[in-house]
Structure formats: C-alpha cells, structure tokens
Amino acid sequence: MIRLQGIAVSPGIAIGKVLVFDSGGFQIAKINCLKEQAPAELARFEEALQVTYEDIRLSSETVTAKLGGEYGAIFEAHLALLHDRKLLKKIRDAITEDHLVAESAVNEVFREYIRFFQGLGDEYLAERSNDMIDLGRRILHALRHEKKLPAQVSEKVILLANELTPSETVSMDKEMIQALVTERGGPSSHTAIVAEAMQIPAVVGVGEFLDRVSAGDQVIVDGNHGLIILDPDEATIRYYAYLEAQQQSIDDQLKMLRDESATTLDGVEIQLLGNIEFPAEAETCLEYGASGIGLYRTEFLYLSGGFPDEEEHYQAYRHVVETMNGRPVTIRTVDLGADKLLEHKVARPSSKDYYVEGEKNPGLGLRSIRLSLKRIELFRRQLRAIFRVSAIHPVKIMFPLVSTLTELRQAKMIVEDVKEDLREENIPYSDKVEIGIMVEVPSTVLMIDQFVSEVDFLSIGTNDLTQYTLAVDRTNREVVHLFNSCDPAILKLIVMTLEGAKKKGVPVSLCGQMSGNPLYTMLLLGLGLRTLSIAPRNIPEVKNICRGVNITHCKALARRVLLMERAGEIKGYLKSELRKLFPDPDDLLD
Ligand code: PEP
Ligand code: MG
C-alpha cells in the first residue's frame, strides 16, 4: 500500500480500478519476466493483437462511412502490418526467448522497425514509420487495456495521467470516470476547475508515480485531502467506503440549506452565486441553492469540441437564463488562450478562429479579451447571441482579463456596434445590459479609479490575479507552494479594488477559487465583499459559514489579517478562527 500526496482540487472519494491515460505516446522500459511467466505474456500479446485488429477494422468502417472509401483505405496499411509474419515472429520471440514482458517486446520490436524506416532517407518510407508508430501505440493501448481517449472507456475507472488539458477533461464521459489524478497541474488550473464542474473527485500535482501502477490496479482517491492510495489493503478500503457514505450524508444535510438565505447572525445578506462552465450546470446551481450565476465561463462551448455559431451560442445562453428563471446571470465573453487552448482538431484553417499557435509564453500572450479583440467576427457573434437573449431575460456581460482602459473601450465600442446592427435588423434586445470586467491583472487594480467610471460592475478573479501578481503559474505544481490567494499582496489588491469601487458605488463580487473555500469566507466578508460567485457544490458549506458568523467579528478578523506579512501566517490564523466556530473544518485548500 503506497500513499501519495497531491493537491485536492475536486472533492469526493472514489475506490476503483486504474486506467492510465497516456496522451504523449509510449515510453516503455525494457522489463523481463520469469521464464515460466512467458506463456501468460504471450497470451496477453495475442489477445491485444485481436483487440487491435478489431479496433482498426472498426475505425476503418467508421471512417469509410463518414468520409468515403479512400480514407478508410488508410487503415489497410495497418491491417497489412498486423499480418506481417516477420514482425509478429520477432515480437513473439522477444517474449518466449528473451523473456520480455509483452509491452516491452512490442516496444523493442516496433522501435527497431521505426528506426529502420526513418534511417532509409526515403520520404515515402519515412512516412510509413508513422504507420508503425500508430500501430505500436494501438497494441500498447490494448495491452494496458487503455482506450485511445478517456471518453471511450467502457467500464468505471479512475483515470491517471501525467497531465490533462481542459479539453481532454471536458471530453470525458463523467459516468465512467470515477476520479482523476494527474502527476502535474496546480490547484487553480482549468483542468481542476472542469473536474469540479463535472463533479469528478480529482487530485493534481502528485508528482511522478505512473510507473508504479498498471491498468486494472486498485486505487483509492481522496479528493477532499488530495491523497491517493495505491494497492490499498482491505481495512483501508473499508475505512474509505465508510467515509464516502458519511460524506454523502453531510452533503445531504448541507443541501437542506438550499432555500435558506446566506444571512449573517447580525442580519447582513450575502449573495452566493454560482460559477458554471456548461449550460447544464445551471440546474446544479439551483440544486445547491445559488441565487444566480456570477460567472459563466463561455469558452467551454469551444473547449467541449464545438465551434459554435451564433445560434448555438444563443441556445446555450437561453437554456441557462430560462433555467435560472429570473435570477441574475453574468455571461463572461470567451476566455480562451493560456491553459485553455483549442486543440488543432477544433480550430479551422482560418485566420479568424480562436486557435493560437506557437506562443512561447501563452499566459502573457493572445488570450481572453485580447483574443476577442483580434478575432472580432467571433466576438461579435457571441455578443449578438448574448444581446438576443437579453430580450427574454436580464443578463450582464463581463469581459475577462482586461488589463488596460483601451481594451475596455474597444470592447464597449464593439458592443455598441453589435447593438446598432441588431436595431437595423429589427432583432429585439435589451438596452439595459450591464457591462462589467474581471479584475485579474494588477494594472487593472492600479487604474481602478478610472475603470469604475466606465463599468457597471466588477468581479475579482483571484486565480489570475494571484498568478499575475505573484508571477506564479497557476497550473505548475513546482510552484504551487507560492500560489497563495491570501498572500498579503493579493489582499491589498482586493482592498484597493473594493475601495475604488465604493467611491462610485460600483458593485463588486469575487469569483476566483478562493470564494468557494470556507477557509476564506470570514476574511472576504470582513474585507467588505457581499457577493461571492462559487463552484455550485461549494455553496452549501460557504452558506453555512455565512449563517454562523457576524460581520463585526469578520471585520475584526480582516483587520488583524491585514497586519500580517506572510500567507502561511494568515492561513494558520484563519484555520484556527474557523475551527473555533466550526469544529473540524475539512479539506481546506488554496
Ligand atoms: C479567475 O481568474 O479567478 C477566474 C475566475 O477566471 P478563470 O479561473 O476562468 O481564469
Ligand atoms: Mg481568470
């Protein structure tokens, strides 16, 4: 039994079998088996060969049906290779005579062939080596009982990967994936956010461990504490099964707060809104008692594998607003770029799409509002859909990652342009759509007095604000210890934002991951925030805290925190204060 500590990013406990998702290709060590194990290894290989054969046949049929016979024929080459006696004999000999395990035998022989083809200096034959690479991968996938994509798994599994992109995560079948664990990644990465949205327990940033597991091994994932347990014994499995049941009953109790307001003991009402990534999460928001949606991350319309036209945008927004039935809804315009990159397959070969290639530093590159201002047609398409929805339901528009006044002004000019077009086309829309921005870059806070004269509302995005203020990549486990949203520097920026907004009476909410962490609830209320936008599942716990504190106490707590100089000190103090009021608070993470 091996315990590994990672970063808890999506709560819940899962006990199940492992599937290793290896998106990067195959790297297999040369491993021998005992002589007497060789027949079993050979049988594994023969079985994998059959699975691969079937798999290719199916791919060929699907592609032929979709694109025609000439494309289906691409797979003929693979099928021919699978029948190559010499190739197969070499692999079988490597198992039965050299006593290599099946994976190593396949790897060794295929590498030998690939090197040979590539070394011939013939373009056509070098191309053939790609067929070999592809085929080798397929057999290895079959050997490890892996399917090509996690979306295609046919039994419930716990998915382990070196790293997952947000779009890979989105494409998963959440009914089949019991939990996710990655070697890399940080707490505020979008992969983590997506896992939470999909309600899949997840642990990221575990460090290298994949070489210690094989497909089918049993593992426990504790998404509340960021723990994974490989090869657990019976007693540990029983203990976690008990915890899982207990967690369910706590969740059920908290959910009973759904229809209660988040009013503090001294009568101050706190607005708790939901953060969503997918339209279907509007229902989740209601289930968990959100009083509206404070952040709809619309880029997931693209990251889910689509390339939405205006009507698809419109239908998605319409579903959300109709579900929310009169409650406030803030739609954030597309925030692609940085770690939310489109895959090649989604992008169109047009200069107008949202695909960005070859940036050395995408976190500082063409992302978010910058991208929308460059791909104006796509931006207009989204704005038109939002305004059309505004005719049936009040919505607000929020721009992400605005870092200069010029960007805000340009975006607002395009808004006016879109409205004019709709007027000319006699398409109804509301003239009362409020326009706001995310506060995610230090420059925006430094210029907050100017910004507040030009926006209707602000929402503080502490994920990016922390990343850009402390110069800490939010997706990088190596610097995760430096990623502290309660760092005194970040708290100063939050205070400056609140003070700037107050001068003009501009409402402010906070929608970074920090808002859903109960550790910070008292602090945020004490700093003056009255609206928090949170991943829906965290709402009940935060609501429970709001209902059990009074603002006078929170203000005193915040004053004390603002005198502190280190994030560690602040966290320790907040933890002890929270424990005094709510014994044994669990899964406190940043
Ligand atoms: C943030 O940066 O805090 C935020 C809410 O936006 P996102 O996590 O989508 O970047
Ligand atoms: Mg952000």
Tab-separated table of all heavy atoms in Angstrom, residues 527-579:
chain	number	residue	atom	x	y	z
A	527	LEU	N	-13.502	41.853	4.727
A	527	LEU	CA	-12.895	42.855	3.830
A	527	LEU	C	-13.982	43.712	3.180
A	527	LEU	O	-13.694	44.785	2.647
A	527	LEU	CB	-12.070	42.169	2.733
A	527	LEU	CG	-10.780	41.477	3.178
A	527	LEU	CD1	-10.135	40.738	2.012
A	527	LEU	CD2	-9.781	42.491	3.758
A	528	GLY	N	-15.205	43.224	3.179
A	528	GLY	CA	-16.317	44.040	2.646
A	528	GLY	C	-17.059	43.402	1.486
A	528	GLY	O	-17.993	44.009	0.954
A	529	LEU	N	-16.660	42.215	1.082
A	529	LEU	CA	-17.382	41.578	-0.037
A	529	LEU	C	-18.757	41.115	0.430
A	529	LEU	O	-18.898	40.569	1.534
A	529	LEU	CB	-16.576	40.402	-0.587
A	529	LEU	CG	-15.461	40.883	-1.505
A	529	LEU	CD1	-14.239	40.007	-1.413
A	529	LEU	CD2	-15.958	40.990	-2.943
A	530	ARG	N	-19.755	41.333	-0.421
A	530	ARG	CA	-21.109	40.896	-0.081
A	530	ARG	C	-21.658	39.961	-1.148
A	530	ARG	O	-22.783	39.475	-1.041
A	530	ARG	CB	-22.052	42.112	0.091
A	530	ARG	CG	-21.667	42.998	1.249
A	530	ARG	CD	-21.861	42.272	2.600
A	530	ARG	NE	-21.358	43.061	3.723
A	530	ARG	CZ	-20.150	42.918	4.260
A	530	ARG	NH1	-19.315	41.994	3.813
A	530	ARG	NH2	-19.762	43.664	5.276
A	531	THR	N	-20.901	39.781	-2.225
A	531	THR	CA	-21.308	38.834	-3.278
A	531	THR	C	-20.125	37.938	-3.603
A	531	THR	O	-19.025	38.418	-3.892
A	531	THR	CB	-21.726	39.589	-4.566
A	531	THR	OG1	-22.757	40.516	-4.227
A	531	THR	CG2	-22.244	38.630	-5.614
A	532	LEU	N	-20.379	36.628	-3.528
A	532	LEU	CA	-19.332	35.659	-3.880
A	532	LEU	C	-19.888	34.751	-4.961
A	532	LEU	O	-21.051	34.324	-4.881
A	532	LEU	CB	-18.953	34.813	-2.657
A	532	LEU	CG	-18.449	35.573	-1.430
A	532	LEU	CD1	-18.219	34.606	-0.261
A	532	LEU	CD2	-17.146	36.324	-1.739
A	533	SER	N	-19.083	34.469	-5.978
A	533	SER	CA	-19.513	33.539	-7.019
A	533	SER	C	-18.625	32.305	-6.913
A	533	SER	O	-17.394	32.395	-6.952
A	533	SER	CB	-19.433	34.195	-8.396
A	533	SER	OG	-20.156	33.406	-9.308
A	534	ILE	N	-19.283	31.146	-6.811
A	534	ILE	CA	-18.621	29.945	-6.293
A	534	ILE	C	-18.985	28.743	-7.144
A	534	ILE	O	-20.095	28.666	-7.670
A	534	ILE	CB	-19.160	29.686	-4.856
A	534	ILE	CG1	-18.936	30.902	-3.970
A	534	ILE	CG2	-18.591	28.450	-4.234
A	534	ILE	CD1	-19.546	30.757	-2.590
A	535	ALA	N	-18.086	27.761	-7.233
A	535	ALA	CA	-18.465	26.488	-7.858
A	535	ALA	C	-19.681	25.963	-7.089
A	535	ALA	O	-19.645	25.910	-5.859
A	535	ALA	CB	-17.312	25.502	-7.766
A	536	PRO	N	-20.769	25.581	-7.803
A	536	PRO	CA	-22.040	25.304	-7.121
A	536	PRO	C	-21.933	24.376	-5.915
A	536	PRO	O	-22.549	24.612	-4.888
A	536	PRO	CB	-22.914	24.679	-8.215
A	536	PRO	CG	-22.266	25.037	-9.494
A	536	PRO	CD	-20.857	25.418	-9.248
A	537	ARG	N	-21.098	23.340	-6.032
A	537	ARG	CA	-21.056	22.370	-4.939
A	537	ARG	C	-20.487	22.935	-3.642
A	537	ARG	O	-20.644	22.362	-2.572
A	537	ARG	CB	-20.244	21.142	-5.362
A	537	ARG	CG	-21.111	20.122	-6.065
A	537	ARG	CD	-20.480	18.775	-6.007
A	537	ARG	NE	-19.163	18.794	-6.618
A	537	ARG	CZ	-18.312	17.791	-6.543
A	537	ARG	NH1	-18.616	16.701	-5.877
A	537	ARG	NH2	-17.144	17.857	-7.139
A	538	ASN	N	-19.776	24.069	-3.749
A	538	ASN	CA	-19.211	24.656	-2.522
A	538	ASN	C	-20.174	25.627	-1.851
A	538	ASN	O	-19.896	26.122	-0.758
A	538	ASN	CB	-17.908	25.405	-2.842
A	538	ASN	CG	-16.837	24.459	-3.326
A	538	ASN	OD1	-16.897	23.265	-3.035
A	538	ASN	ND2	-15.884	24.962	-4.076
A	539	ILE	N	-21.283	25.923	-2.523
A	539	ILE	CA	-22.199	26.930	-1.971
A	539	ILE	C	-22.742	26.542	-0.586
A	539	ILE	O	-22.696	27.351	0.342
A	539	ILE	CB	-23.340	27.238	-2.979
A	539	ILE	CG1	-22.740	27.993	-4.167
A	539	ILE	CG2	-24.453	28.045	-2.321
A	539	ILE	CD1	-23.725	28.291	-5.279
A	540	PRO	N	-23.237	25.301	-0.398
A	540	PRO	CA	-23.823	24.995	0.910
A	540	PRO	C	-22.858	25.227	2.073
A	540	PRO	O	-23.244	25.777	3.104
A	540	PRO	CB	-24.202	23.516	0.784
A	540	PRO	CG	-24.372	23.285	-0.667
A	540	PRO	CD	-23.387	24.182	-1.337
A	541	GLU	N	-21.602	24.833	1.906
A	541	GLU	CA	-20.655	24.970	3.010
A	541	GLU	C	-20.371	26.449	3.303
A	541	GLU	O	-20.297	26.864	4.458
A	541	GLU	CB	-19.365	24.230	2.652
A	541	GLU	CG	-18.652	23.751	3.880
A	541	GLU	CD	-17.445	22.888	3.556
A	541	GLU	OE1	-17.260	22.532	2.371
A	541	GLU	OE2	-16.689	22.591	4.497
A	542	VAL	N	-20.205	27.231	2.221
A	542	VAL	CA	-19.947	28.654	2.422
A	542	VAL	C	-21.188	29.320	3.029
A	542	VAL	O	-21.092	30.172	3.918
A	542	VAL	CB	-19.533	29.319	1.084
A	542	VAL	CG1	-19.462	30.834	1.220
A	542	VAL	CG2	-18.189	28.770	0.613
A	543	LYS	N	-22.352	28.878	2.566
A	543	LYS	CA	-23.595	29.453	3.115
A	543	LYS	C	-23.707	29.152	4.608
A	543	LYS	O	-24.061	30.008	5.423
A	543	LYS	CB	-24.805	28.858	2.370
A	543	LYS	CG	-26.107	29.551	2.732
A	543	LYS	CD	-27.303	28.879	2.075
A	543	LYS	CE	-27.558	29.395	0.677
A	543	LYS	NZ	-28.811	28.852	0.100
A	544	ASN	N	-23.345	27.945	4.976
A	544	ASN	CA	-23.393	27.542	6.376
A	544	ASN	C	-22.517	28.472	7.225
A	544	ASN	O	-22.905	28.879	8.318
A	544	ASN	CB	-22.908	26.092	6.478
A	544	ASN	CG	-23.219	25.493	7.809
A	544	ASN	OD1	-24.279	25.767	8.385
A	544	ASN	ND2	-22.319	24.687	8.335
A	545	ILE	N	-21.356	28.836	6.675
A	545	ILE	CA	-20.466	29.728	7.424
A	545	ILE	C	-21.059	31.134	7.512
A	545	ILE	O	-21.099	31.738	8.579
A	545	ILE	CB	-19.059	29.741	6.794
A	545	ILE	CG1	-18.442	28.362	7.030
A	545	ILE	CG2	-18.185	30.843	7.383
A	545	ILE	CD1	-17.130	28.132	6.365
A	546	CYS	N	-21.566	31.634	6.393
A	546	CYS	CA	-22.174	32.973	6.406
A	546	CYS	C	-23.265	33.045	7.496
A	546	CYS	O	-23.372	34.028	8.225
A	546	CYS	CB	-22.823	33.300	5.057
A	546	CYS	SG	-21.643	33.504	3.731
A	547	ARG	N	-24.037	31.992	7.601
A	547	ARG	CA	-25.164	31.993	8.536
A	547	ARG	C	-24.716	31.864	9.997
A	547	ARG	O	-25.498	32.112	10.906
A	547	ARG	CB	-26.125	30.840	8.191
A	547	ARG	CG	-26.865	31.058	6.877
A	547	ARG	CD	-27.543	29.789	6.418
A	547	ARG	NE	-28.495	29.281	7.382
A	547	ARG	CZ	-29.739	29.682	7.512
A	547	ARG	NH1	-30.191	30.615	6.692
A	547	ARG	NH2	-30.536	29.176	8.425
A	548	GLY	N	-23.450	31.482	10.190
A	548	GLY	CA	-22.987	31.251	11.565
A	548	GLY	C	-22.022	32.311	12.074
A	548	GLY	O	-21.412	32.131	13.128
A	549	VAL	N	-21.813	33.377	11.310
A	549	VAL	CA	-20.850	34.412	11.755
A	549	VAL	C	-21.543	35.774	11.817
A	549	VAL	O	-22.640	35.940	11.278
A	549	VAL	CB	-19.651	34.537	10.778
A	549	VAL	CG1	-18.867	33.242	10.735
A	549	VAL	CG2	-20.104	34.931	9.371
A	550	ASN	N	-20.915	36.706	12.512
A	550	ASN	CA	-21.437	38.071	12.373
A	550	ASN	C	-20.364	38.978	11.780
A	550	ASN	O	-19.159	38.752	11.941
A	550	ASN	CB	-22.101	38.595	13.649
A	550	ASN	CG	-21.139	38.767	14.773
A	550	ASN	OD1	-20.176	39.518	14.640
A	550	ASN	ND2	-21.379	38.046	15.870
A	551	ILE	N	-20.840	39.989	11.087
A	551	ILE	CA	-19.938	40.823	10.286
A	551	ILE	C	-18.952	41.592	11.169
A	551	ILE	O	-17.792	41.785	10.800
A	551	ILE	CB	-20.768	41.783	9.383
A	551	ILE	CG1	-21.506	40.977	8.316
A	551	ILE	CG2	-19.901	42.867	8.749
A	551	ILE	CD1	-20.630	40.345	7.243
A	552	THR	N	-19.390	41.975	12.369
A	552	THR	CA	-18.473	42.710	13.257
A	552	THR	C	-17.243	41.845	13.541
A	552	THR	O	-16.102	42.320	13.486
A	552	THR	CB	-19.180	43.025	14.605
A	552	THR	OG1	-20.558	43.257	14.339
A	552	THR	CG2	-18.561	44.185	15.302
A	553	HIS	N	-17.503	40.577	13.805
A	553	HIS	CA	-16.375	39.668	14.068
A	553	HIS	C	-15.499	39.513	12.821
A	553	HIS	O	-14.264	39.557	12.902
A	553	HIS	CB	-16.924	38.307	14.523
A	553	HIS	CG	-15.866	37.258	14.649
A	553	HIS	ND1	-14.915	37.276	15.644
A	553	HIS	CD2	-15.578	36.181	13.877
A	553	HIS	CE1	-14.100	36.258	15.500
A	553	HIS	NE2	-14.464	35.569	14.421
A	554	CYS	N	-16.153	39.373	11.664
A	554	CYS	CA	-15.389	39.203	10.411
A	554	CYS	C	-14.510	40.427	10.136
A	554	CYS	O	-13.378	40.292	9.663
A	554	CYS	CB	-16.337	38.976	9.230
A	554	CYS	SG	-17.250	37.448	9.324
A	555	LYS	N	-15.045	41.607	10.450
A	555	LYS	CA	-14.256	42.833	10.195
A	555	LYS	C	-13.026	42.861	11.095
A	555	LYS	O	-11.927	43.223	10.660
A	555	LYS	CB	-15.125	44.068	10.446
A	555	LYS	CG	-16.077	44.371	9.299
A	555	LYS	CD	-16.784	45.685	9.547
A	555	LYS	CE	-17.679	46.033	8.368
A	555	LYS	NZ	-18.674	47.044	8.701
A	556	ALA	N	-13.213	42.470	12.354
A	556	ALA	CA	-12.069	42.456	13.289
A	556	ALA	C	-11.025	41.457	12.799
A	556	ALA	O	-9.813	41.731	12.818
A	556	ALA	CB	-12.565	42.102	14.685
A	557	LEU	N	-11.508	40.319	12.332
A	557	LEU	CA	-10.597	39.280	11.806
A	557	LEU	C	-9.813	39.813	10.604
A	557	LEU	O	-8.593	39.657	10.499
A	557	LEU	CB	-11.439	38.052	11.442
A	557	LEU	CG	-10.776	36.881	10.729
A	557	LEU	CD1	-11.346	35.554	11.250
A	557	LEU	CD2	-10.991	36.939	9.229
A	558	ALA	N	-10.527	40.499	9.696
A	558	ALA	CA	-9.867	41.018	8.487
A	558	ALA	C	-8.830	42.082	8.854
A	558	ALA	O	-7.728	42.112	8.283
A	558	ALA	CB	-10.909	41.595	7.532
A	559	ARG	N	-9.165	42.929	9.842
A	559	ARG	CA	-8.204	43.973	10.257
A	559	ARG	C	-6.912	43.316	10.751
A	559	ARG	O	-5.815	43.751	10.440
A	559	ARG	CB	-8.817	44.832	11.382
A	559	ARG	CG	-9.636	46.020	10.857
A	559	ARG	CD	-9.865	47.065	11.945
A	559	ARG	NE	-10.606	46.547	13.070
A	559	ARG	CZ	-11.938	46.466	13.129
A	559	ARG	NH1	-12.667	46.890	12.112
A	559	ARG	NH2	-12.553	45.981	14.199
A	560	ARG	N	-7.082	42.253	11.517
A	560	ARG	CA	-5.902	41.558	12.040
A	560	ARG	C	-5.096	40.923	10.894
A	560	ARG	O	-3.865	41.017	10.850
A	560	ARG	CB	-6.382	40.503	13.024
A	560	ARG	CG	-5.283	40.007	13.832
A	560	ARG	CD	-5.680	39.542	15.185
A	560	ARG	NE	-4.537	38.778	15.685
A	560	ARG	CZ	-4.597	37.825	16.549
A	560	ARG	NH1	-5.755	37.513	17.081
A	560	ARG	NH2	-3.510	37.188	16.920
A	561	VAL	N	-5.811	40.304	9.971
A	561	VAL	CA	-5.119	39.655	8.846
A	561	VAL	C	-4.320	40.681	8.030
A	561	VAL	O	-3.192	40.418	7.595
A	561	VAL	CB	-6.141	38.917	7.950
A	561	VAL	CG1	-5.516	38.537	6.611
A	561	VAL	CG2	-6.676	37.674	8.652
A	562	LEU	N	-4.898	41.854	7.857
A	562	LEU	CA	-4.224	42.854	7.015
A	562	LEU	C	-2.914	43.351	7.648
A	562	LEU	O	-2.110	43.999	6.975
A	562	LEU	CB	-5.160	44.027	6.710
A	562	LEU	CG	-6.311	43.694	5.746
A	562	LEU	CD1	-7.253	44.869	5.578
A	562	LEU	CD2	-5.777	43.247	4.374
A	563	LEU	N	-2.724	43.050	8.915
A	563	LEU	CA	-1.450	43.434	9.546
A	563	LEU	C	-0.383	42.350	9.363
A	563	LEU	O	0.783	42.552	9.655
A	563	LEU	CB	-1.660	43.670	11.054
A	563	LEU	CG	-2.574	44.840	11.422
A	563	LEU	CD1	-2.796	44.887	12.926
A	563	LEU	CD2	-1.961	46.160	10.938
A	564	MET	N	-0.802	41.196	8.887
A	564	MET	CA	0.138	40.070	8.765
A	564	MET	C	0.967	40.173	7.488
A	564	MET	O	0.541	40.783	6.516
A	564	MET	CB	-0.630	38.741	8.805
A	564	MET	CG	-1.322	38.530	10.133
A	564	MET	SD	-2.214	36.973	10.180
A	564	MET	CE	-2.976	37.103	11.797
A	565	GLU	N	2.134	39.523	7.530
A	565	GLU	CA	3.072	39.711	6.413
A	565	GLU	C	3.273	38.481	5.544
A	565	GLU	O	3.916	38.544	4.511
A	565	GLU	CB	4.432	40.157	6.976
A	565	GLU	CG	4.348	41.530	7.629
A	565	GLU	CD	5.685	41.960	8.219
A	565	GLU	OE1	6.594	41.116	8.320
A	565	GLU	OE2	5.788	43.147	8.573
A	566	ARG	N	2.751	37.327	6.003
A	566	ARG	CA	3.012	36.098	5.254
A	566	ARG	C	1.731	35.299	5.050
A	566	ARG	O	0.887	35.215	5.955
A	566	ARG	CB	4.008	35.217	6.011
A	566	ARG	CG	5.420	35.740	6.063
A	566	ARG	CD	6.329	34.773	6.809
A	566	ARG	NE	5.792	34.440	8.124
A	566	ARG	CZ	5.248	33.264	8.421
A	566	ARG	NH1	5.173	32.310	7.516
A	566	ARG	NH2	4.776	33.033	9.630
A	567	ALA	N	1.627	34.664	3.876
A	567	ALA	CA	0.434	33.852	3.586
A	567	ALA	C	0.290	32.714	4.592
A	567	ALA	O	-0.819	32.409	5.049
A	567	ALA	CB	0.525	33.279	2.170
A	568	GLY	N	1.430	32.106	4.986
A	568	GLY	CA	1.383	30.978	5.919
A	568	GLY	C	0.769	31.395	7.248
A	568	GLY	O	-0.055	30.687	7.829
A	569	GLU	N	1.180	32.568	7.704
A	569	GLU	CA	0.659	33.086	8.970
A	569	GLU	C	-0.855	33.330	8.849
A	569	GLU	O	-1.634	32.978	9.736
A	569	GLU	CB	1.400	34.403	9.256
A	569	GLU	CG	1.118	35.022	10.587
A	569	GLU	CD	1.783	36.405	10.705
A	569	GLU	OE1	2.404	36.873	9.715
A	569	GLU	OE2	1.657	37.016	11.780
A	570	ILE	N	-1.239	33.893	7.724
A	570	ILE	CA	-2.656	34.204	7.508
A	570	ILE	C	-3.482	32.923	7.489
A	570	ILE	O	-4.515	32.810	8.159
A	570	ILE	CB	-2.836	35.000	6.184
A	570	ILE	CG1	-2.188	36.378	6.338
A	570	ILE	CG2	-4.316	35.120	5.809
A	570	ILE	CD1	-2.111	37.193	5.076
A	571	LYS	N	-2.999	31.932	6.764
A	571	LYS	CA	-3.745	30.667	6.677
A	571	LYS	C	-3.887	30.015	8.052
A	571	LYS	O	-4.956	29.525	8.408
A	571	LYS	CB	-3.015	29.697	5.745
A	571	LYS	CG	-3.404	29.854	4.311
A	571	LYS	CD	-2.822	28.680	3.533
A	571	LYS	CE	-2.833	28.976	2.064
A	571	LYS	NZ	-2.094	28.030	1.281
A	572	GLY	N	-2.791	30.010	8.798
A	572	GLY	CA	-2.821	29.391	10.128
A	572	GLY	C	-3.857	30.081	11.010
A	572	GLY	O	-4.658	29.425	11.685
A	573	TYR	N	-3.845	31.400	10.971
A	573	TYR	CA	-4.784	32.163	11.808
A	573	TYR	C	-6.232	31.892	11.368
A	573	TYR	O	-7.116	31.636	12.188
A	573	TYR	CB	-4.446	33.662	11.690
A	573	TYR	CG	-5.459	34.576	12.325
A	573	TYR	CD1	-5.663	34.554	13.712
A	573	TYR	CD2	-6.211	35.466	11.556
A	573	TYR	CE1	-6.605	35.399	14.296
A	573	TYR	CE2	-7.140	36.302	12.134
A	573	TYR	CZ	-7.340	36.271	13.498
A	573	TYR	OH	-8.286	37.092	14.076
A	574	LEU	N	-6.468	31.920	10.047
A	574	LEU	CA	-7.838	31.703	9.555
A	574	LEU	C	-8.330	30.307	9.932
A	574	LEU	O	-9.499	30.116	10.282
A	574	LEU	CB	-7.897	31.891	8.026
A	574	LEU	CG	-7.678	33.315	7.528
A	574	LEU	CD1	-7.706	33.343	5.993
A	574	LEU	CD2	-8.745	34.272	8.080
A	575	LYS	N	-7.429	29.343	9.864
A	575	LYS	CA	-7.803	27.968	10.203
A	575	LYS	C	-8.222	27.895	11.669
A	575	LYS	O	-9.255	27.321	12.004
A	575	LYS	CB	-6.602	27.046	9.934
A	575	LYS	CG	-6.996	25.677	9.473
A	575	LYS	CD	-5.785	24.864	9.094
A	575	LYS	CE	-5.636	24.714	7.607
A	575	LYS	NZ	-4.589	23.819	7.178
A	576	SER	N	-7.418	28.527	12.529
A	576	SER	CA	-7.756	28.410	13.953
A	576	SER	C	-9.064	29.163	14.251
A	576	SER	O	-9.881	28.706	15.035
A	576	SER	CB	-6.602	28.897	14.833
A	576	SER	OG	-6.511	30.296	14.737
A	577	GLU	N	-9.280	30.300	13.596
A	577	GLU	CA	-10.531	31.049	13.823
A	577	GLU	C	-11.741	30.257	13.334
A	577	GLU	O	-12.788	30.235	13.970
A	577	GLU	CB	-10.479	32.398	13.090
A	577	GLU	CG	-9.594	33.415	13.745
A	577	GLU	CD	-10.036	33.769	15.165
A	577	GLU	OE1	-11.165	34.272	15.310
A	577	GLU	OE2	-9.267	33.505	16.110
A	578	LEU	N	-11.567	29.596	12.194
A	578	LEU	CA	-12.684	28.828	11.636
A	578	LEU	C	-13.006	27.645	12.546
A	578	LEU	O	-14.169	27.324	12.807
A	578	LEU	CB	-12.320	28.340	10.232
A	578	LEU	CG	-13.433	27.673	9.431
A	578	LEU	CD1	-14.627	28.594	9.260
A	578	LEU	CD2	-12.931	27.240	8.056
A	579	ARG	N	-11.945	27.036	13.083
A	579	ARG	CA	-12.154	25.864	13.970
A	579	ARG	C	-12.919	26.252	15.217
A	579	ARG	O	-13.702	25.472	15.734
A	579	ARG	CB	-10.809	25.262	14.370
A	579	ARG	CG	-10.269	24.386	13.293
A	579	ARG	CD	-9.546	23.158	13.821
A	579	ARG	NE	-9.222	22.325	12.676
A	579	ARG	CZ	-8.019	22.269	12.131
A	579	ARG	NH1	-7.025	22.958	12.640
A	579	ARG	NH2	-7.814	21.525	11.075
